[in-house]
Structures are given as C-alpha cells and as structure tokens.
Amino acid sequence: MAKKKSKKKFILSRYLFISVCIFVLVGCVVKNLVRTTIIDADKWNERAERELSKTNIIYPERGDILASDGSVLATNLRFYTVRLDFRSERFNTQGYIDSIPMMADSLVKFFPGRATRKQWIDSLSKPIKKAQNKRPRGYRVIDNLSYTELQKIRTIPFFRIKNTNKNGFVVDSRVRREHPYGDMARRSIGGVGQTSKSSEVHGISGLECALDSLLYGKHGVSKKINLTRRIDDWTDTAAIRGYNIVTTIDINMQDIVENELNRVLETCDADWGVAVLMEVATGDIKAISNLEKSKKTGRYIEGMNRAVLGFEPGSVIKPISMLLALENGLVTNVNEVFQIGKSFPYANGKAITDSHYNSELTVEGIIEQSSNIGMTKVITRNNSIFQTHPSKFYDELDRIGFFEPMHTGIAGERRPVVEKNPSRLSLSRMCYGYATLIPPLYTLSIYNAIANNGRFVRPRLYSRLIGEDVDSIIPVSYIREHICSEENALKLQRMLGLVVEGSRGTARRLRNDMVSIGGKTGTCYMVDPETRKYNTAHKRLAFCGFFPLEDPKYSCIVLTCHPRHTLTGAASTSGEVLKNVAMKMYSRGMLGNSSDYHTDQAPQGKTPQVYRTTKPDTYSLISSISGVKGDPSTPLVSVSKGIVPDVSGLGLREAVSAIETAGFNVSFSGRGYVNSQSPAGGTVAKAGATVTIKLI
C-alpha cells in the first residue's frame, strides 16, 4: 500500500510540475502579447509601416535592335547556370556517386564539344571528395544554357529528382545581350554594360549608347503589402519595356560590304579599312563595316568605328572644293583650260606638284586626273572670293551645312575640323585634301548630295520606333534642301563619271560592262607619330562615289589604311571594294534591275553577264578582284553536290562556301587567294571528304 501511495504521489508531483511550467509559459506568452499589442504597439506599428512603405525598382526589359527587314541584330536572351548544393539538408551522397557515370554520358550526348566523358566524370567527382562540411553549396556544373537545354538537363539521372533537398539542384539565370548575326555591323550596333555612373546596364557604344534612352525603357515600382499569411511584393507601377528600334541596315548588303572589304584588306595586307554604303534618296545607311587586323590572329575583325572619326581626306575633297568654285562663279565653263606644268609655287610655300605631268587641263580634266595644281589654281585664282578672303572657304562650307551634327545614331560622331581663318597657304593645301580632319561619313554625305541633284539628305542609321501602342516611322530629313543648283550637281556627276569612264581617269580600272560608277580617288600620306612628318611609305587610300552613274541609287565611301603589297593604289584597293559591291548588288537585282536577264532586256552598248541558278543545288559564285579567276569577265564557278569545285583564284570565304555547298569539309592554310587545292576541281568524291586549299 505504501508503495502505491508513494508512486501516486510521485506522479501527481510530476503533473504539478508540468502544470506549473505550462502556466509560467502561458504567463510569459500573455505578458509578451500584452507588451507587443498594448505597451509597445506604437513601436511595432511604426516598424510595420516602415516596412510596408518600402519600394523597390523594377528594371525594364531593354528593346531590340532590328535590321530594315525586321531581322534581329541585338536582343535580350536569358541563359541558365546549373549548380549543386552538396550541403543541402537531405543530399543523397551515395545516389549521386552511383549516378556520376550516367550523368557524364548524358552531358557528353547533350553538349558535344564542351568536354569529354572523362572530364565530366572528373568535374562531377571533384566536390564529393572533400569533407562533408567543406563541400560547396553552389558548385557550378554547366553554364550558358538556353531554356531548351535546361529542360534536357532536368531529364538526366539524379538531376531529375523532384525533391531538391535530395539532389541539391539549383538554377541561376541572367539576361545577356546577344547578337544573332555575330560581328555583323557590331561596332555600329554597339554594346551594353555597367557604367561608372550606374550599376544598371546601359548602352556604352554604337547605337546602344546613342539611343540608350529609347532602348532602356522606364523603371517600374513595387511595394510591400500585407497579405493574409505574409508580406509580399506588389507591383505599383509596371516597368515599360524599351522601344524596338528598326535600323536602316540591310542584312544582304551588309554581308556584301563586309566580305568585299575583308577580301581586299587580306589581299593587300592593310592595317584597317572602313566602308559605308548609303541610299541616295533617303540617306539610309544600308551597310557599315569597320575591319582591322587582329594582332593575335592576323585576321580581320570588327574594329573601331572610324566612319565617324576625322582624317585628312586627300583628293576625295576636290569635288567638294569644285562644288564651292562652281557655286561661287570661280568657274562657269567646264571646258575652260588651266595651265598646269611641273609645279606651282604659291604664297611662299613649298611648290605644289602633281603625281604626273600635264601642261594644261580643262576644269573637268582637273577632277578626272586629280590635279593638285589645277585645284589650287581654281580656288585661288586672281581676285576670286577665296583668294582675297580665305576665311570664305570655311564660311561656304558652313553655308552648305558641312559642319552640321549628323545625329545618325552612331555614337562617337565627330564634326569636321577646318581652320576658320586660314592663310592663303593653308587654303591652297585644304582645297586638295590636307590640313583638315574630315570624318568619312561627312565626305560621303556631300557626294550623296551631288548624286541626289544637290539635295543634302541627313544620313541616318535608324528609321522606326516600335513600342507599346507606338509604331513611329521617322521621316527622311534634310540638312539643306539644296547645297548647289541642279545644273552644277549634274556637272559634278559628269566630272566624277570621267574619273572612271575617262581615258585618263585615275579610277579607270573600275570601268565595267554592268554598273557605271562615278567617284573620286584619294591618297593621303600619314603622319609619323615620332617625327611628326608625312611618311610617304604609309598611305591612307580612299574612294568615294555612287552608282549607277546614269541614275544614282547608292553612294559609298571606302578607306584602306597602309596596304603593304599587291594592291597599293586608291582605285585598286578602296575603289575595288566599291566596284565589287556595286557588281554583286547588280547580280542580285538590288539596283532596280532583274537578276534573271534576257538579251532583249540588256542596256544598249552593254553585254549583260548572267548570274542565276541554273539547276537545283547549283550556285553561281562571283569574285571580281581584277587579274584573278572569278573576275566578271571570266566564266563563273559552278558548284554541284558530290563534285569538288575548282576554287583556284577565289578568296577564302567564297572558296569555303563553294566547297561546303558541294558537301565537303575544308582545310586551309595561308591567306589571300586560293593558289592550289587537293583534290583537284572536277574530282568526284564522297560527301564529307576534306578538300585542302592553300592561299597566297
């Protein structure tokens, strides 16, 4: 009995102890509840109000940059990174170890070329070899995945376990600006990144920078709200996506310009080159390419946007000087004869000379044969406005809008640098291309105005804005309605035509039977940075013009810097690029012509060349560097499946295109043009066989 009483007493005492603890705990809860809801209510309400009044910025989605046909040149894409948390609460270590071989097999299959099976096994095994407390919590397995690739990853053994506590599967994502066409017009499109002023992503170069305020969009705002079970974010003002900007870039024309510029640069081994193609009527920049030689690889890559940087223009300035002479009545008769001779000492300066001797030249002949002496004698002739008041040269350039900001949309634009109050000596140099700094785009715009019968249209790189409830077409605008009379514009068109079509024109090598070209060559010696003197071994070669001459549709300027061999003249380098571009555009029906010509459609006096597909899987390739196979005056190369094409004389890009079109792989060495190939052209070979080519 005593034992039962003792046991009962013990149990009751435990119940009493537990009850007291419960009452104490309840008392503490009630005490804190009273303190929180009554005594300290104001403090907690203030804190809650502070939390609920907080706002967060919602960053907008950046707009896309599009080509003229709607093709995407720059857009935002989300990429994913797969990570593993090896210290997650219920990580299945043994299951992970057993699955490593299968995971490696799947990764090799899904992502060929990223790593070998052994490399995947080593990479997946590395973190598991560490002690449990030292294993990583965010080990990177694979990155730069598209959404489709991420879904493939989720099907791999171990990764497909739905409970992330067991496999530690974590996915990070980030938005990246992508360029589907690679380096095509990359410098003009530009790039984005964080700036020193802001951690936000903004445009830092090219169109991305110049039009950043339109592409960026507008911030949104979110705030905290008190829901039933939690405090959560609520969008108060939605972010507005940036505008999609439609550029004037034509993908096909851009491809032609880049290929032809690259081809000539490789041939002459130049430092860099720039080419801009513009539509005469609208000022739309249809293509722009800036290539420079890579110091690492020796190949040409997209480089600095030199189209908007100032350079001494050389003789391409002479038609602009002649325009001022015509408009100010210095010359009225294009057949007026000027005495030239060996040299012309003027204003106590070093005597002006020409590259070749002429005893006399007409006004047209001065442009046709690019006479420095003749151009100086025109501008500085006795009692002329420029001879008595040299500053009028600057004033006249200003009158025609030569110094107006272009606002093309290209970041880094610079205006021409011309001395406002030049001496007579400086004026004599300025009028034929020295002592000034003029961006190629400004020179091109004046040539474009000449081709446009005097109407000075503003060059532009974008033509349309597309946004939420907005679709705005930007109209063509003019810097000046007319910079010269239509009569003088036609005189200048004829002069520039003689440069190519004339018997002694400096660009007569550009004459062809398909597209008539008008333009002007320009050669300028470069200044040695150490001696600060002109180095006659280093030249910057230019050609600026338009085509077709009889009805100009496109204008183009090309600069080639310091060619080292093979081609060293302005016509054979920069001029050849323009000629090749014009001929390829003609062959594709881009000049208002039919690319499928019939004899009865041919212009009189010209024998048309036929560039068309004649059979399925058969293509006509064109290469127009004079003196090598592929010149338009020689038969074209036919490419057929299963037959090794004869690519001797072609550039690398055309050769690779022809060989791959025929169904073969390519191995090459050297640079320039194809000198030899194995197997020989015309050989029947198995699909996938390798054709080896050597270039010089």
Side-chain angles (χ1 to χ4, degrees):
M1 259 330 256
K3 283 185 178 182
K4 287 183 178 180
K5 288 182 179 181
S6 176
K7 188 174 182 180
K8 184 177 181 181
K9 185 178 181 181
F10 175 74
I11 292 171
L12 290 173
S13 63
R14 290 185 63 181
Y15 281 145
L16 179 62
F17 177 76
I18 292 171
S19 299
V20 170
C21 290
I22 290 173
F23 280 115
V24 170
L25 182 61
V26 170
C28 290
V29 170
V30 171
K31 178 184 176 183
N32 283 303
L33 182 63
V34 171
R35 178 180 294 175
T36 301
T37 57
I38 299 174
I39 299 174
D40 295 334
D42 292 341
K43 183 178 74 173
W44 287 108
N45 288 334
E46 181 184 349
R47 182 172 177 180
E49 191 67 30
R50 192 164 60 246
E51 288 295 319
L52 291 172
S53 64
K54 283 183 179 179
T55 59
N56 294 316
I57 294 176
I58 303 174
Y59 294 106
E61 183 182 354
R62 193 172 183 83
D64 296 338
I65 297 178
L66 311 174
S68 59
D69 64 353
S71 302
V72 177
L73 298 177
T75 188
N76 303 305
L77 293 180
R78 187 169 293 277
F79 290 87
Y80 301 87
T81 298
V82 171
R83 301 180 184 275
L84 291 179
D85 179 3
F86 285 92
R87 283 189 277 166
S88 59
E89 185 178 354
R90 298 171 60 191
F91 188 83
N92 186 351
T93 302
Q94 189 57 48
Y96 176 79
I97 295 172
D98 294 340
S99 299
I100 286 177
M102 290 183 288
M103 286 191 288
D105 289 337
S106 298
L107 289 167
V108 168
K109 178 182 177 181
F110 292 154
F111 308 101
R114 284 216 184 186
T116 64
R117 183 177 187 274
K118 183 180 182 305
Q119 288 172 329
W120 279 120
I121 289 175
D122 291 343
S123 175
L124 294 169
S125 301
K126 183 178 178 180
I128 211 70
K129 294 176 181 178
K130 298 179 180 180
Q132 175 68 36
N133 61 346
K134 293 184 178 180
R135 291 174 185 170
R137 303 217 63 166
Y139 184 73
R140 186 179 63 187
V141 178
I142 188 169
D143 57 9
N144 287 327
L145 298 176
S146 66
Y147 182 77
T148 302
E149 290 171 331
L150 177 63
Q151 299 313 306
K152 287 183 180 180
I153 287 282
R154 294 183 185 276
T155 66
I156 294 176
F158 193 77
F159 292 157
R160 65 187 175 205
I161 297 174
K162 292 185 178 181
N163 188 339
T164 56
N165 273 333
K166 292 184 177 181
N167 63 3
F169 192 84
V170 179
V171 178
D172 294 338
S173 69
R174 65 187 181 94
V175 174
R176 192 169 72 198
R177 198 70 165 167
E178 284 293 299
H179 301 84
Y181 285 92
D183 287 338
M184 180 174 284
R186 183 69 177 271
R187 286 285 176 176
S188 299
I189 296 168
V192 299
Q194 293 180 340
T195 66
S196 57
K197 296 181 180 180
S198 172
S199 60
E200 301 171 12
V201 175
H202 287 276
I204 56 177
S205 63
L207 271 175
E208 296 275 20
C209 177
L211 304 178
D212 184 68
S213 60
L214 296 172
L215 288 163
Y216 186 77
K218 293 183 179 179
H219 290 129
V221 177
S222 69
K223 62 183 181 181
K224 302 288 185 181
I225 62 169
N226 189 7
L227 300 178
T228 305
R229 296 185 177 181
R230 66 183 186 278
I231 293 176
D232 208 346
D233 287 326
W234 178 268
T235 299
D236 194 32
T237 304
I240 299 176
R241 188 182 189 276
Y243 288 104
N244 288 343
I245 294 182
V246 180
T247 70
T248 58
I249 295 293
D250 183 290
I251 294 297
N252 294 319
M253 295 181 190
Q254 180 71 34
D255 183 58
I256 291 172
V257 169
E258 286 191 6
N259 282 331
E260 294 307 322
L261 180 62
N262 186 84
R263 185 209 305 266
V264 169
L265 293 180
E266 285 184 342
T267 303
C268 65
D269 192 24
D271 284 347
W272 54 262
V274 57
V276 183
L277 180 69
M278 186 189 299
E279 190 173 55
V280 168
T282 63
D284 287 355
I285 297 172
K286 309 305 289 185
I288 180 169
S289 180
N290 296 273
L291 300 179
E292 62 184 38
K293 184 187 288 185
S294 169
K295 294 180 180 179
K296 293 182 179 179
T297 65
R299 297 187 179 279
Y300 289 92
I301 59 175
E302 188 72 17
M304 182 186 300
N305 202 336
R306 294 181 172 88
V308 292
L309 303 182
F311 301 99
E312 284 188 314
S315 293
V316 291
I317 199 70
K318 288 174 183 171
I320 301 176
S321 298
M322 187 63 76
L323 182 150
L324 300 184
L326 288 168
E327 284 293 295
N328 286 276
L330 274 67
V331 290
T332 54
N333 179 10
V334 295
N335 293 314
E336 181 183 353
V337 176
F338 281 77
Q339 300 302 312
I340 304 300
K342 292 182 179 180
S343 63
F344 176 46
Y346 181 75
N348 299 319
K350 183 179 178 181
I352 298 168
T353 60
D354 286 339
S355 59
H356 50 274
Y357 174 79
N358 283 290
S359 61
E360 60 182 26
L361 287 172
T362 64
V363 172
E364 285 184 339
I366 289 171
I367 297 297
E368 178 185 352
Q369 298 191 49
S370 194
S371 172
N372 297 338
I373 296 172
M375 195 69 255
T376 305
K377 286 192 171 186
V378 168
I379 291 296
T380 63
R381 68 188 314 177
N382 289 337
N383 299 319
S384 70
I385 184 174
F386 302 132
Q387 196 265 351
T388 55
H389 299 93
S391 62
K392 291 294 184 181
F393 190 82
Y394 178 93
D395 294 341
E396 283 298 295
L397 288 173
D398 189 37
R399 179 186 65 79
I400 67 174
F402 192 60
F403 303 109
E404 292 276 340
M406 291 291 184
H407 300 304
T408 58
I410 302 175
E413 272 187 17
R414 298 182 187 178
R415 287 190 282 179
V417 177
V418 178
E419 192 175 346
K420 282 188 176 182
N421 296 295
S423 63
R424 290 195 300 156
L425 178 62
S426 294
L427 176 62
S428 69
R429 270 55 177 173
M430 289 162 54
C431 71
Y432 64 83
Y434 286 86
T436 58
L437 294 175
I438 300 176
L441 189 59
Y442 276 82
T443 303
L444 175 62
S445 68
I446 298 296
Y447 276 69
N448 195 81
I450 293 169
N452 203 20
N453 295 330
R455 302 195 73 189
F456 192 1
V457 67
R458 185 182 299 278
R460 62 178 187 173
L461 197 55
Y462 60 98
S463 60
R464 187 177 171 192
L465 299 178
I466 302 173
E468 187 176 347
D469 300 324
V470 173
D471 190 345
S472 175
I473 296 176
I474 301 169
V476 174
S477 62
Y478 294 86
I479 294 176
R480 295 287 186 272
E481 278 295 327
H482 285 90
I483 62 171
C484 65
S485 67
E486 186 171 342
E487 180 185 0
N488 285 335
L490 292 173
K491 288 178 180 178
L492 287 164
Q493 288 177 26
R494 173 176 165 76
M495 291 182 200
L496 294 171
L498 287 172
V499 173
V500 177
E501 300 294 336
S503 60
R504 300 186 66 186
T506 56
R508 57 188 179 275
R509 67 170 287 145
L510 305 183
R511 198 180 308 154
N512 65 89
D513 290 333
M514 289 187 292
V515 185
S516 54
I517 297 169
K520 183 69 187 74
T521 53
T523 301
C524 187
Y525 297 123
M526 298 167 62
V527 176
D528 189 304
E530 295 182 1
T531 64
R532 305 304 302 168
K533 295 181 179 180
Y534 287 106
N535 185 343
T536 56
H538 289 203
K539 299 177 182 178
R540 189 169 48 248
L541 306 170
F543 189 85
C544 190
F546 42 81
F547 55 90
L549 178 60
E550 61 275 6
D551 182 20
K553 288 182 170 55
Y554 296 95
S555 59
C556 182
I557 188 169
V558 184
L559 264 66
T560 306
C561 181
H562 189 26
R564 291 174 175 80
H565 59 71
T566 308
L567 307 173
T568 56
S572 61
T573 53
S574 297
E576 197 71 28
V577 174
L578 185 146
K579 172 190 169 185
N580 295 345
V581 168
M583 292 170 68
K584 281 201 171 181
M585 290 177 65
Y586 177 89
S587 71
R588 299 184 188 184
M590 295 179 178
L591 301 181
N593 62 300
S594 171
S595 58
D596 186 7
Y597 243 114
H598 300 285
T599 305
D600 57 356
Q601 296 175 317
Q604 290 187 359
K606 293 187 178 182
T607 303
Q609 299 288 331
V610 180
Y611 298 90
R612 58 181 177 178
T613 300
T614 55
K615 299 177 183 178
D617 298 324
T618 302
Y619 306 90
S620 295
L621 301 181
I622 305 164
S623 171
S624 55
I625 294 292
S626 296
V628 298
K629 184 175 180 180
D631 188 274
S633 62
T634 64
L636 302 180
V637 177
S638 292
V639 180
S640 299
K641 294 287 186 181
I643 300 176
V644 177
D646 181 2
V647 295
S648 57
L650 293 182
L652 177 60
R653 294 191 182 191
E654 283 71 20
V656 170
S657 175
I659 293 169
E660 290 184 345
T661 298
F664 305 110
N665 296 321
V666 186
S667 173
F668 68 91
S669 61
R671 62 186 179 190
Y673 293 88
V674 178
N675 183 48
S676 63
Q677 68 177 89
S678 177
T683 304
V684 178
K686 293 182 179 180
T690 299
V691 177
T692 302
I693 58 176
K694 293 183 179 180
L695 301 95
I696 59 171

